[in-house]
Amino acid sequence: MRMLLRPGTTVFRKPCRVFALGKRRLSSFSDNNENREKPKTFEGNNRQVVNEICNVLESGDSWGPSSETALSSLNFKPQPELIISVLRRLRDVNKAIDYFRWYERRTELPHSPEAYNSLLLVMSRCGKFHELEQILGEMSVAGFGPSVNTCIDMVSTCVKANKLKEGFDVLQMMRKFKFRPAFSAYTTLIGAFSEVNHQSDMMLTLFQQMQELGYEPTVHLFTTLIRGFAREGRVDSALSLLDEMKSSSLDADVVLYNVCIDCFGKVGKVDMAWKFFHEMEANGLKPDEVTYTSMIGVLCKANRLDEAVEMFEHLEKNRTVPCTYAYNTMIMGYGSAGKFEEAYSLLERQRAKGSIPSVIAYNCILTSLRRMGKVEEALRVFEEMKKDAPPNLSTYNILIDMLCRAGKLECAFKLRDSMEKAGLFPNVRTVNIMVDRLCKAQKLDEACAVFEEMDYNVCTPDEITFCSLIDGLGKVGRVDDAYRIYEKMLDAECLPNSVVYTSLIRNFFNHGRKEDGHKIYKEMMMNHQNCSPDLQFLNTYMDCVFKAGETEKGRAMFEEIKAHGFVPDARSYSILIHGLIKAGFANETHELFYSMKERGCVLDTRAYNIVIDGFCKCGKVNKAYQLLEEMKAKGFEPTVVTYGSVIDGLAKIDRLDEAYMLFEEAKSKRIELNVVIYSSLIDGFGKVGRIDEAYLILEELMQKGLTPNVYTWNSLLDALVKAEEINEALACFQSLKEMKCTPNQVTYGILINGLCKVRKFNKAFVFWQEMQKQGMKPSAVSYTTMISGLAKAGNIAEAGSLFERFKGNGGVPDSACYNAMIEGLSNGNRAMDAFALFEETRRKGLNIHNKTCVVLLDTLHKNDCLEQAAIVGAVLRETGKAKHAARCW
């Protein structure tokens, strides 16, 4: 049941001090003229008292005992008109409230409705409504509410200050106390919301409240609502409102039809725009210039140029004076379609009809030329236009933008100087264009110079200026300079948005300054009242954290996204899965993928690629294959990354025929395959000994103009070494060097192992020395291989030296290394050295081969080391017994 105040009624009463109303009607909450406030004026002494009171209130910084004493000393006669006059003069809401309360205490009289309304108007002037709820509560108890003018003024103030949410809250607060907000207050706020993106739901809420209050909507109000919904692409809602309007017996006017044609056409509903045009004519309404111009614009945007021309000619047929707006729209349409000859012809036709083409017409052509990148033609048109219309700021901005995009920066600077000579000074858009383009061309010093040269008396930098410069400096590693610009932004009282914080964090992390990146994140979260984090910002921070190797912090960040009230999107999950894959947790892909689907996330190509890669990395290649098919079924074209992941996954589990089929499928779709995919196949074929096929893949790679990388060569070398085709491997190594590919630690390790395997130990040692000359640190496997090889070759001195160096560098020799050294020392007749190493091997708990024991035992006997020989013999017997027991078991 609605409890709304009507004129002459109160909500409820209880014992309180109330201004004597008698039978006088209360202030109405509708737009009846009879109830509007009439201002009261004072003459003589009253005006002097008001001046004195205002002087006392405005002299002190804050309210206090001294203020009360000074007011009391004025000794004025309490009058309702007095407080109203004082409140109308005050500009400080806090002083107004303090005076309002002091007057109430001093006179012990209740305030009049006019006094309360005057106080609300002070709040409105200051734009501060922190005491609104209390004041409205007192008015409700007293049985009266805000007047129509006051209600409209409060909402209008919020609208002018672009504080639409506060205006909405004002109306909701009035409704809370059962007051009836004014019709004009609603329409003003709805109109303001219609100009802001993504606020159609707020408009609809206000509209429904108006209907609840019994207000009859007008055609103009419906027009505003339909425009807002159609502009956001919410076509069904806009059509529902149109049907509701018709069911209310309201007839659509030309303005409404024009709005429908324009808005529906701009969101791509051309047929709907045509329907409104024909419906308009059927209802007896004559399309005006705006109708035709809107329809022409809609058709041009939809690339239906023939229909647009037909519409234009229909408009022109019965006109003696050209419609400038229609000409400008048609010229823009020709320009967008690249039909510049027709556009120039239309200019001449307009001129022939006695209408000089405006600067807007020329700007339309220049805008189209900019899109096409036709710089020289644009400069020619620019010179020609001066005969008809002087260029304006927009003209210069279009040309400067075009020149900067084309890399003609000197010409852009000259044009800016000529602009100033013509009496036009660069605005903030001009500066933003130049700064952004210079940053993208990596001419950061020039961009900074443009920024520093800004004349703050003419224009001041806005958030776009600061953001472009901060991002440009950060991307090239000048993160400290970027941070200084950020500080200047704060000094200029220009509030950073989430884009600025995102740029700072990403660039700090990208250039190895992760601690500074974390500080920026904390700084934003502390100042979230001025700038709230959005999902893109949180996703970027999580991505940076994962890339910095902070896996657990990345996991926590994913949960923090949810804590901030956001629903993780496909990008959030993609970042999480990718980060975990890189950290070695690919096995979690499956669970996260299904969580992602349960939450209704719509996967895009990037998300599919990451999930497919995760499945391949954790061995679930069949699942990856299924996702590839699902991706194609849903209309997403697999990329080189998609095919690369699945081909690599299949190659690693020896499903090479399937991998090769996918390889051929990718080629048939004209996907530019990269070295990584070719290398995956070479590695796969090589590992299973299909070396000829590996060579064919390598040959195709080079025929495509691609250069094999070190991973490609290593895959082929490893296959040749395993097949003991060592000469072919050495030839392959030579080809690698001839193609200017630098071998790495793995390359040398493969060759050393292969040469030792075929007992070419001295050749292996040559490669060992070459590797060290290149400044590469051998791996533990390379050390073990080389030590064993040298020992077996009888080069005990080198083997021993290498063995000691390996241990000295923190290496831990394995059982094979110790056994090789013991055998080498034994064969070199260094019995006691071999025995010492034998004892060291036992102490480390490493396995000693029977063959090693036999070789050592023979050497000890030859050198009459009988005591040591007895120990080795005992170990050999124990080993034999253990093996015999194991066999019996």
Side-chain angles (χ1 to χ4, degrees):
M1 180 178 179
R2 289 203 297 267
M3 297 290 291
L4 297 170
L5 277 179
R6 301 293 178 189
T9 65
T10 59
V11 181
F12 58 84
R13 290 191 181 277
K14 65 180 183 180
C16 62
R17 298 198 308 273
V18 184
F19 186 82
L21 297 173
K23 294 184 179 179
R24 183 162 59 86
R25 291 169 66 87
L26 295 177
S27 297
S28 172
F29 312 126
S30 60
D31 287 351
N32 298 328
N33 288 329
E34 63 182 5
N35 295 309
R36 290 185 182 271
E37 293 176 279
K38 295 181 175 62
K40 294 181 173 67
T41 58
F42 301 97
E43 302 295 336
N45 291 335
N46 283 330
R47 181 172 295 163
Q48 184 180 348
V49 171
V50 169
N51 289 337
E52 289 174 354
I53 292 171
C54 288
N55 288 337
V56 170
L57 293 172
E58 291 168 358
S59 61
D61 292 333
S62 59
W63 183 270
S66 59
S67 304
E68 296 190 13
T69 304
L71 288 172
S72 299
S73 66
L74 296 177
N75 198 24
F76 57 83
K77 181 182 177 182
Q79 299 176 65
E81 294 82 0
L82 189 63
I83 188 168
I84 293 167
S85 298
V86 171
L87 289 173
R88 283 176 179 163
R89 291 265 301 272
L90 292 176
R91 292 291 180 271
D92 186 325
V93 68
N94 293 323
K95 289 181 178 179
I97 292 170
D98 288 332
Y99 173 67
F100 188 83
R101 296 302 180 204
W102 175 83
Y103 185 92
E104 190 177 47
R105 292 194 302 271
R106 173 72 187 278
T107 62
E108 296 186 353
L109 292 173
H111 288 295
S112 67
E114 290 81 2
Y116 273 104
N117 277 289
S118 297
L119 182 59
L120 290 175
L121 289 172
V122 178
M123 292 182 180
S124 178
R125 283 196 298 272
C126 299
K128 296 179 179 177
F129 297 100
H130 54 281
E131 296 286 342
L132 180 64
E133 184 172 7
Q134 184 176 344
I135 299 301
L136 290 179
E138 291 176 18
M139 294 175 79
S140 175
V141 170
F144 50 78
S147 69
V148 169
N149 284 349
T150 303
C151 178
I152 295 170
D153 193 274
M154 288 192 293
V155 171
S156 298
T157 301
C158 293
V159 169
K160 287 173 186 173
N162 202 27
K163 296 180 177 179
L164 305 189
K165 180 63 170 63
E166 287 191 23
F168 181 83
D169 292 341
V170 166
L171 295 186
Q172 303 318 301
M173 190 65 71
M174 289 183 67
R175 284 171 56 82
K176 177 181 175 180
F177 291 103
K178 310 301 180 187
F179 297 139
R180 180 186 175 89
F183 181 89
S184 296
Y186 273 112
T187 56
T188 299
L189 194 54
I190 288 172
F193 275 123
S194 73
E195 299 300 322
V196 182
N197 291 330
H198 310 299
Q199 293 294 342
S200 51
D201 287 330
M202 201 70 88
M203 289 164 52
L204 190 60
T205 300
L206 292 170
F207 177 66
Q208 289 168 346
Q209 288 179 9
M210 289 180 73
Q211 291 177 308
E212 288 173 14
L213 293 173
Y215 286 128
E216 291 292 335
T218 61
V219 174
H220 176 72
L221 180 57
F222 273 110
T223 302
T224 304
L225 288 162
I226 290 167
R227 180 193 290 116
F229 277 97
R231 189 179 288 162
E232 290 184 13
R234 298 176 64 177
V235 178
D236 292 339
S237 300
L239 290 173
S240 297
L241 283 166
L242 190 60
D243 291 339
E244 186 176 338
M245 188 201 81
K246 290 176 180 177
S247 66
S248 301
S249 301
L250 293 171
D251 294 324
D253 57 12
V254 174
V255 175
L256 176 57
Y257 277 114
N258 287 348
V259 166
C260 288
I261 289 168
D262 184 56
C263 292
F264 280 91
K266 280 179 178 173
V267 295
K269 304 290 181 181
V270 184
D271 293 335
M272 192 72 74
W274 265 124
K275 173 185 170 294
F276 286 120
F277 183 84
H278 295 310
E279 185 182 305
M280 182 181 182
E281 292 180 315
N283 289 339
L285 295 172
K286 185 178 179 181
D288 60 10
E289 292 176 357
V290 176
T291 318
Y292 278 102
T293 304
S294 296
M295 200 66 221
I296 291 165
V298 166
L299 292 166
C300 287
K301 188 179 177 185
N303 294 321
R304 292 162 70 165
L305 206 58
D306 292 340
E307 293 173 75
V309 171
E310 186 182 338
M311 180 70 69
F312 176 77
E313 296 299 341
H314 190 272
L315 171 65
E316 280 290 285
K317 185 168 61 178
N318 300 317
R319 291 182 63 89
T320 53
V321 179
C323 174
T324 305
Y325 295 113
Y327 270 89
N328 292 344
T329 306
M330 199 65 238
I331 287 167
M332 188 70 175
Y334 277 130
S336 298
K339 297 188 174 184
F340 293 105
E341 291 305 319
E342 288 86 343
Y344 300 142
S345 173
L346 209 55
L347 279 177
E348 291 302 322
R349 180 174 163 185
Q350 184 180 355
R351 196 180 286 110
K353 284 200 171 190
S355 174
I356 297 173
S358 68
V359 66
I360 296 171
Y362 280 103
N363 284 351
C364 288
I365 292 177
L366 289 172
T367 301
S368 299
L369 288 168
R370 178 183 62 184
R371 287 175 184 163
M372 303 286 181
K374 298 190 174 186
V375 180
E376 299 305 324
E377 192 170 345
L379 292 173
R380 181 183 62 76
V381 171
F382 174 67
E383 292 303 322
E384 284 182 11
M385 78 176 285
K386 293 176 184 177
K387 300 171 188 175
D388 292 327
N392 61 11
L393 263 174
S394 295
T395 316
Y396 281 102
N397 285 343
I398 292 165
L399 285 166
I400 288 170
D401 185 24
M402 188 187 299
L403 290 166
C404 288
R405 284 175 187 269
K408 299 188 176 186
L409 301 174
E410 291 301 321
C411 293
F413 279 109
K414 284 179 184 176
L415 192 63
R416 184 193 63 175
D417 295 340
S418 67
M419 169 185 180
E420 292 177 1
K421 287 176 185 175
L424 295 170
F425 292 94
N427 60 9
V428 70
R429 175 161 172 70
T430 319
V431 174
N432 288 347
I433 288 168
M434 296 197 77
V435 167
D436 182 64
R437 303 298 178 258
L438 287 166
C439 285
K440 283 175 179 170
Q442 294 196 0
K443 295 186 178 293
L444 280 308
D445 292 332
E446 291 88 338
C448 290
V450 170
F451 174 77
E452 296 297 339
E453 288 168 9
M454 284 185 77
D455 185 349
Y456 278 51
N457 294 321
V458 178
C459 71
T460 54
D462 60 11
E463 61 182 26
I464 296 172
T465 325
F466 286 110
C467 187
S468 296
L469 203 50
I470 288 167
D471 193 52
L473 289 165
K475 278 180 177 172
V476 297
R478 292 170 61 175
V479 285
D480 290 322
D481 290 337
Y483 191 78
R484 275 192 285 273
I485 298 296
Y486 164 72
E487 289 178 326
K488 283 188 178 183
M489 186 179 189
L490 297 177
D491 293 340
E493 296 183 354
C494 181
L495 294 176
N497 55 23
S498 63
V499 178
V500 172
Y501 284 112
T502 302
S503 173
L504 282 169
I505 287 172
R506 182 176 55 244
N507 289 323
F508 270 123
F509 270 95
N510 286 349
H511 293 92
R513 301 268 296 274
K514 69 176 185 179
E515 294 305 322
D516 291 314
H518 289 313
K519 284 177 186 174
I520 294 291
Y521 174 75
K522 288 174 185 172
E523 191 172 322
M524 182 187 178
M525 301 314 288
M526 288 170 64
N527 298 326
H528 68 274
Q529 290 141 345
N530 296 326
C531 176
S532 299
D534 56 19
L535 186 56
Q536 183 180 352
F537 167 78
L538 295 169
N539 280 342
T540 301
Y541 181 61
M542 178 170 66
D543 189 37
C544 290
V545 167
F546 270 119
K547 285 176 179 173
E550 299 180 1
T551 307
E552 293 310 311
K553 196 172 182 111
R555 286 183 195 269
M557 193 63 220
F558 184 77
E559 297 303 320
E560 196 171 323
I561 287 173
K562 292 187 270 188
H564 281 293
F566 294 105
V567 176
D569 61 3
R571 183 164 182 256
S572 311
Y573 277 99
S574 298
I575 291 166
L576 177 63
I577 293 169
H578 186 66
L580 292 173
I581 290 168
K582 292 292 180 187
F585 297 101
N587 56 320
E588 295 184 36
T589 302
H590 191 269
E591 184 182 342
L592 287 168
F593 171 67
Y594 282 102
S595 170
M596 186 178 181
K597 283 211 159 186
E598 282 172 14
R599 291 179 178 271
C601 285
V602 179
L603 276 73
D604 55 10
T605 302
R606 184 173 184 271
Y608 270 113
N609 285 348
I610 288 171
V611 174
I612 285 170
D613 185 52
F615 279 129
C616 288
K617 291 276 196 307
C618 67
K620 297 181 186 292
V621 182
N622 287 338
K623 188 64 192 172
Y625 218 133
Q626 287 172 16
L627 269 184
L628 174 63
E629 294 305 315
E630 179 187 307
M631 183 181 181
K632 289 189 279 188
K634 290 192 174 179
F636 294 102
E637 283 299 321
T639 66
V640 65
V641 177
T642 326
Y643 281 109
S645 296
V646 182
I647 288 169
D648 185 61
L650 290 166
K652 278 186 167 55
I653 58 171
D654 300 342
R655 288 165 62 176
L656 290 159
D657 293 332
E658 292 170 81
Y660 190 77
M661 283 173 61
L662 268 185
F663 174 73
E664 290 296 328
E665 180 185 305
K667 286 196 294 183
S668 69
K669 291 187 175 182
R670 300 188 182 281
I671 290 173
E672 289 293 326
L673 301 178
N674 55 27
V675 177
V676 176
I677 292 179
Y678 281 99
S679 299
S680 294
L681 282 173
I682 290 168
D683 185 56
F685 281 121
K687 279 193 168 97
V688 296
R690 294 164 69 174
I691 297 172
D692 290 341
E693 287 157 286
Y695 264 116
L696 287 171
I697 299 290
L698 179 66
E699 187 179 339
E700 184 181 320
L701 180 156
M702 291 193 279
Q703 285 174 352
K704 293 280 186 184
L706 298 171
T707 305
N709 60 23
V710 70
Y711 176 80
T712 319
W713 290 112
N714 287 349
S715 298
L716 192 56
L717 281 171
D718 189 53
L720 291 166
V721 162
K722 284 176 179 171
E724 295 189 4
E725 294 186 22
I726 198 65
N727 292 329
E728 189 67 31
L730 292 171
C732 184
F733 180 76
Q734 194 59 37
S735 299
L736 174 155
K737 294 175 86 174
E738 287 170 2
M739 294 187 72
K740 309 296 182 189
C741 181
T742 306
N744 61 12
Q745 182 183 345
V746 177
T747 318
Y748 283 107
I750 291 168
L751 282 173
I752 290 166
N753 181 54
L755 288 163
C756 288
K757 193 175 180 182
V758 295
R759 304 190 68 79
K760 293 189 177 183
F761 303 116
N762 292 331
K763 184 68 175 173
F765 193 60
V766 171
F767 280 108
W768 174 270
Q769 291 172 319
E770 184 181 318
M771 175 171 62
Q772 291 189 307
K773 282 179 187 175
Q774 301 291 337
M776 296 178 198
K777 187 179 178 182
S779 66
V781 174
S782 296
Y783 262 111
T784 302
T785 305
M786 197 67 251
I787 291 165
S788 301
L790 289 169
K792 286 174 183 176
N795 195 342
I796 299 303
E798 289 291 351
S801 172
L802 210 57
F803 185 75
E804 293 304 323
R805 193 190 314 166
F806 180 41
K807 290 198 290 182
N809 290 335
V812 180
D814 61 5
S815 172
C817 192
Y818 272 103
N819 279 280
M821 277 299 298
I822 293 167
E823 287 182 36
L825 290 166
S826 299
N827 290 332
N829 204 31
R830 291 169 58 180
M832 291 308 295
D833 290 336
F835 182 76
L837 207 56
F838 172 82
E839 289 294 275
E840 184 181 325
T841 309
R842 288 177 66 202
R843 286 196 299 273
K844 289 184 178 293
L846 297 173
N847 182 41
I848 300 175
H849 303 158
N850 282 351
K851 181 191 170 188
T852 306
C853 290
V854 170
V855 173
L856 176 58
L857 192 62
D858 185 52
T859 303
L860 290 169
H861 278 299
K862 285 179 183 177
N863 287 274
D864 294 327
C865 301
L866 301 179
E867 186 179 342
Q868 290 79 9
I871 295 170
V872 174
V875 170
L876 185 60
R877 283 193 297 276
E878 288 298 320
T879 306
K881 286 178 183 177
K883 286 186 177 179
H884 178 71
R887 282 196 296 270
C888 292
W889 178 260

